[in-house]
Amino acid sequence: MDALLAAERLPRLAERAMRTAIAAALNHGTLTPRAVVDRALVCFEAAVTRGGGVRPALLFAERNRIVRELRLFLESRLAVRLRALRRGGLIGAGATAAPFDAIVRNRRGRTYAVVFRRLPSDGRRLAMLQRIRAAEQKVARTPIDGVLVYDLSRGIVLRLDQAGAQGVYRHLRAS
């Protein structure tokens, strides 16, 4: 794998590994730091192995970033709320929640889709949020009241309530 290609693909492979690890942890009820980080690193290393060679410096930098971002997520209020879901509160995670990462029901009976992404800080951010919001139309089996987008790189949650609108739900780092 070319060094430039590896530098572009590694963040995407890492994001996919983190999303897979979080969804698997939600499905198994083991949303703990060790379980999520270990599963994400194993998935990431397997994807890198399948893709070819990578410079060790890039690999270690991305592994450190995965650990840092997952720990930030696991200390967030969103993670605490996901751990505290009542029985039946998790409608689906991973493949069963596609095109989202999870679909959950809160105590008031409202249904939210949860998406974990590394959001860009430039103009591509709005386009990505619009694509995420448009994906709600594809979920016909479960009516969605809103979409929560967790930005893995910044540790914030955006709540998308209506088409074309976005609201910052709250900066959810644990105090």
Side-chain angles (χ1 to χ4, degrees):
M1 181 183 303
D2 185 57
L4 180 61
L5 181 63
E8 293 174 0
R9 282 191 66 208
L10 278 181
R12 281 183 277 173
L13 292 175
E15 180 182 314
R16 187 176 306 132
M18 288 189 289
R19 292 172 52 210
T20 301
I22 292 169
L26 284 171
N27 279 329
H28 291 97
T30 57
L31 195 59
T32 62
R34 183 176 186 144
V36 175
V37 171
D38 288 350
R39 186 172 285 134
L41 290 176
V42 167
C43 290
F44 175 67
E45 290 176 8
V48 168
T49 303
R50 284 190 305 268
V54 178
R55 289 191 341 221
L58 289 174
L59 182 63
F60 288 123
E62 198 61 42
R63 287 184 74 213
N64 289 340
R65 186 175 174 188
I66 288 171
V67 172
R68 183 177 60 249
E69 289 176 356
L70 283 176
R71 292 220 170 136
L72 181 66
F73 163 68
L74 291 166
E75 293 173 355
S76 71
R77 288 182 55 195
L78 178 62
V80 170
R81 290 179 179 178
L82 289 174
R83 275 188 223 109
L85 284 174
R86 292 182 179 179
R87 186 176 183 177
L90 179 66
I91 297 171
T96 59
F100 303 107
D101 295 316
I103 299 176
V104 297
R105 183 172 292 120
N106 69 7
R107 291 180 183 169
R108 295 184 187 128
R110 297 180 59 103
T111 305
Y112 289 93
V114 183
V115 177
F116 301 100
R117 294 285 190 279
R118 287 179 176 168
L119 296 176
S121 58
D122 56 7
R124 296 175 296 159
R125 178 185 180 122
L126 181 60
M128 182 179 278
L129 291 174
Q130 289 172 340
R131 281 193 313 268
I132 291 169
R133 184 65 187 163
E136 180 182 345
Q137 307 306 321
K138 297 178 184 177
V139 183
R141 65 188 177 275
T142 306
I144 304 292
D145 293 313
V147 180
L148 300 175
V149 181
Y150 182 83
D151 185 356
L152 290 164
S153 58
R154 289 177 195 82
I156 60 172
V157 174
L158 300 173
R159 185 176 66 196
L160 308 177
D161 286 328
Q162 53 186 326
Q166 88 177 30
V168 175
Y169 181 65
R170 184 175 298 170
H171 190 272
L172 290 177
R173 288 191 183 168
S175 55

